[in-house]
Amino acid sequence: MPVVSNFRTTLSRIALGASAGLVAGFTALAVAELVAGLIRPAAGPLTVVGGAVIDRTPAAVKDFAIRTFGEDDKTVLQLGILAVLALIAAALGVVGLRHRRAGSCGILVFGVVGAVAALSRPDSEGIGDVLPSLAGALAGALALYVLAGRAAPASTTEEGANGGGWNRRGFLVAAGATAVGATAAGFLGRYLTGRQAQGATASRQGLVLPAPASPAPAVPKGVQLKIPGITPFTTPNGDFYRVDTALVVPKVDAGSWRLRIHGKGVSRARTYTLDDLLARPLIERDITLTCVSNEVGGPYAGNARWLGVRLSDLLAECGVKPPSAGGGADQLVARSVDGMTLGSPVEDVMDGRDALLAVGMNGEPLPFDHGFPVRMVVPGLYGYVSACKWIEDIELTTFDAYDPYWVKRKWARKAPIKTQSRIDTPKPFGRPDAGTVVVAGVAWAQHRGITRVQIRVDDGPWQDADLAAQDTVDTWRQWSYRWQATPGGHNLTVRATDSTGQVQTEQRTRTVPDGASGWHSVFVTVT
């Protein structure tokens, strides 16, 4: 059966080649991880290539990823990159069986891609950032060259005679040794990366937040309704939404952190340490944040108690004036340690609202996921134009002179939060029993406040819901409605009115360019 024999031999060669490519690819990533751990973890190839992919992804695709995968969008991206790299590595391994140099050169090409991506990152620290990608590629190319040689025909050996002319034993020994070495390198790289973060972790654990000079007003009784299924008034830190572009959460040592304020209209540029901020009078406020990627009825809103310094005080200290007072800058550009830029209207952050450089969240130092050691919080503005995490630089400029990260990707320059409401209970496609059903949820219109919420059953008239007590105009407000439910399918719709008298619009829009709008509704079947 020569045809069957040849087919089996071909499959065996392809399997050997693909295995060689996968081991070589794994070696490349592991060595790159090790070098990144020695130099700078943020320069690792998965991080820089993933960041470059995020930067070049159209806004509509990013919006789809957040809508579909939620806070797991970055994990999905990294798994996707690994899957693509695995396929390419396997293909290069097959090529390398007949053309060892060509296969190895293919891996080197990907090292160059990683190096270019590293240099293109906004937080790049220079030529040293290319070393992880290049070192990993060299190791991977060498591994493939050696393994392809081990898998070469060896007709004079016993294993060659029994394996279709291929030195299986020699290949397996070499591949196993390479994989073990690569695994060790990867673990060592992870260990070094973890050690670099230990200082930041220790600085957070050792940080004692001062008592606020201006404590948050006491939360009125009745802000939290005792209704199963309703969103808590205060969002625990572990449940607070996280939407950003950071594939690796920055871990900044509080002792080395600095904030520079400079730019147009700044008569006294200054640099602040965390101790400088903590020595100032701190204010504490309950503020609800909302992500512009939040769909109608979506989960990307949360309320927390923030502790921080008034941003307007720092700006005034540096000589900054709002445009209404003759200031030359109308945009504040905040930069994070990972290079993200967000642009806020100077007029808004200096108009008397509680715009903060926050250091605390719900009674503890900011979690790393939420910007430790310092972040911006501006009530009334979507996060992408106000909520800079891991902030290290504030530049005063104009909207005409500079477009921040999201504006370059077709999002609006200015984005006040739209009036929105959401049904938390009953859940979509729920099956409540006939009789009294409590419909409840939250509504928000930060810096304006909610004054009315209405419910409509099917196409019936709008009915006023009962409002929970209001904390401040900068927080969301719970509501409830006792519905006398009758058997059958029903559509429940909610809308809210803010303190200006503006009723939440029915017009449905997507999140791009300045936030979603429309009425939230859920369909239930009453049994």
Side-chain angles (χ1 to χ4, degrees):
M1 300 288 286
V3 174
V4 174
S5 178
N6 289 337
F7 179 71
R8 288 177 176 173
T9 300
T10 300
L11 285 181
S12 177
R13 292 177 179 178
I14 291 174
L16 284 172
S19 299
L22 289 172
V23 172
F26 174 61
T27 300
L29 291 177
V31 171
E33 181 91 11
L34 173 59
V35 177
L38 290 168
I39 298 176
R40 197 170 76 92
L46 274 181
T47 301
V48 297
V49 171
V53 170
I54 290 175
D55 289 351
R56 288 158 180 78
T57 301
V61 177
K62 289 181 182 177
D63 189 46
F64 168 79
I66 293 173
R67 187 170 65 251
T68 305
F69 303 113
E71 296 183 25
D72 295 324
D73 58 336
K74 300 171 192 66
T75 301
V76 172
L77 172 62
Q78 289 178 312
L79 290 175
I81 292 174
L82 286 173
V84 171
L85 290 177
L87 290 173
I88 294 173
L92 290 173
V94 174
V95 171
L97 287 182
R98 291 189 176 277
H99 308 285
R100 295 168 70 187
R101 291 180 181 177
S104 296
C105 285
I107 291 183
L108 291 175
V109 168
F110 280 91
V112 173
V113 171
V116 171
L119 291 176
S120 72
R121 304 302 302 139
D123 62 335
S124 173
E125 294 186 1
I127 196 67
D129 282 358
V130 309
L131 293 179
S133 294
L134 294 183
L138 285 171
L142 178 61
L144 181 57
Y145 192 83
V146 171
L147 292 176
R150 290 288 185 178
S155 57
T156 59
T157 65
E158 180 181 350
E159 57 269 25
N162 295 330
W166 297 87
N167 187 353
R168 289 184 178 178
R169 182 178 299 169
F171 171 79
L172 291 175
V173 170
T178 303
V180 169
T183 301
F187 275 118
L188 181 57
R190 289 285 173 141
Y191 170 75
L192 293 172
T193 297
R195 285 200 62 180
Q196 289 198 27
Q198 285 179 358
T201 301
S203 70
R204 181 180 182 275
Q205 291 173 342
L207 181 61
V208 178
L209 297 176
S214 174
V219 175
K221 292 182 178 179
V223 297
Q224 175 66 60
L225 299 178
K226 297 179 180 180
I227 297 174
I230 197 169
T231 300
F233 175 75
T234 299
T235 309
N237 290 354
D239 296 335
F240 209 94
Y241 74 89
R242 178 196 164 204
V243 178
D244 53 52
T245 63
L247 285 176
V248 177
V249 173
K251 292 194 173 181
V252 181
D253 191 310
S256 62
W257 177 85
R258 298 292 185 273
L259 172 70
R260 180 185 177 216
I261 299 179
H262 62 104
K264 188 178 181 67
V266 177
S267 58
R268 298 176 295 276
R270 296 199 175 186
T271 299
Y272 297 90
T273 66
L274 181 59
D275 286 341
D276 291 334
L277 297 188
L278 295 178
R280 302 174 68 93
L282 302 183
I283 68 170
E284 183 183 60
R285 296 292 184 267
D286 294 326
I287 299 172
T288 298
L289 300 186
T290 307
C291 179
V292 74
S293 294
N294 197 46
E295 296 280 353
V296 173
Y300 301 126
N303 185 62
R305 176 159 290 187
W306 306 94
L307 177 71
V309 176
R310 285 191 187 276
L311 179 54
S312 59
D313 290 349
L314 291 183
L315 295 176
E317 197 172 86
C318 295
V320 178
K321 297 179 180 179
S324 61
D330 61 5
Q331 180 180 209
L332 179 156
V333 175
R335 289 183 173 84
S336 73
V337 298
D338 66 349
M340 173 57 67
T341 56
L342 305 181
S344 309
V346 174
E347 194 69 49
D348 289 351
V349 300
M350 300 188 75
D351 67 358
R353 72 183 72 194
D354 291 320
L356 303 178
L357 285 178
V359 296
M361 180 180 183
N362 288 332
E364 64 179 75
L366 292 171
F368 286 111
D369 279 358
H370 296 292
F372 181 83
V374 181
R375 66 169 295 164
M376 274 179 60
V377 173
V378 183
L381 302 182
Y382 282 118
Y384 86 100
V385 293
S386 67
C388 184
K389 297 187 285 190
W390 316 293
I391 189 172
E392 68 171 3
D393 185 271
I394 292 177
E395 180 181 3
L396 280 298
T397 182
T398 65
F399 284 104
D400 289 338
Y402 184 80
D403 285 340
Y405 181 92
W406 292 110
V407 175
K408 292 176 181 177
R409 289 154 180 82
K410 308 305 180 184
W411 294 79
R413 289 180 173 178
K414 300 181 181 181
I417 294 174
K418 298 177 180 180
T419 301
Q420 284 288 299
S421 53
R422 184 180 72 206
I423 299 173
D424 288 337
T425 182
K427 298 297 184 185
F429 306 110
R431 300 179 67 85
D433 294 332
T436 301
V437 174
V438 178
V439 183
V442 289
W444 58 87
Q446 290 92 312
H447 209 54
R448 300 184 303 280
I450 295 294
T451 58
R452 189 181 193 187
V453 172
Q454 296 173 296
I455 284 288
R456 185 177 69 185
V457 180
D458 300 323
D459 294 322
W462 288 101
Q463 303 287 335
D464 285 337
D466 295 321
L467 293 177
Q470 177 176 273
D471 184 11
T472 74
V473 295
D474 291 333
T475 61
W476 56 16
R477 195 170 186 180
Q478 296 182 347
W479 57 267
S480 66
Y481 175 75
R482 295 176 66 83
W483 170 42
Q484 298 305 312
T486 58
H490 298 283
N491 202 54
L492 306 175
T493 305
V494 64
R495 71 180 184 186
T497 303
D498 65 29
S499 65
T500 69
Q502 185 69 42
V503 179
Q504 179 180 345
T505 180
E506 179 184 10
Q507 182 180 0
R508 275 270 183 170
T509 63
R510 301 303 294 270
T511 57
V512 182
D514 62 353
S517 66
W519 296 337
H520 184 220
S521 63
V522 298
F523 180 83
V524 298
T525 301
V526 179
T527 58

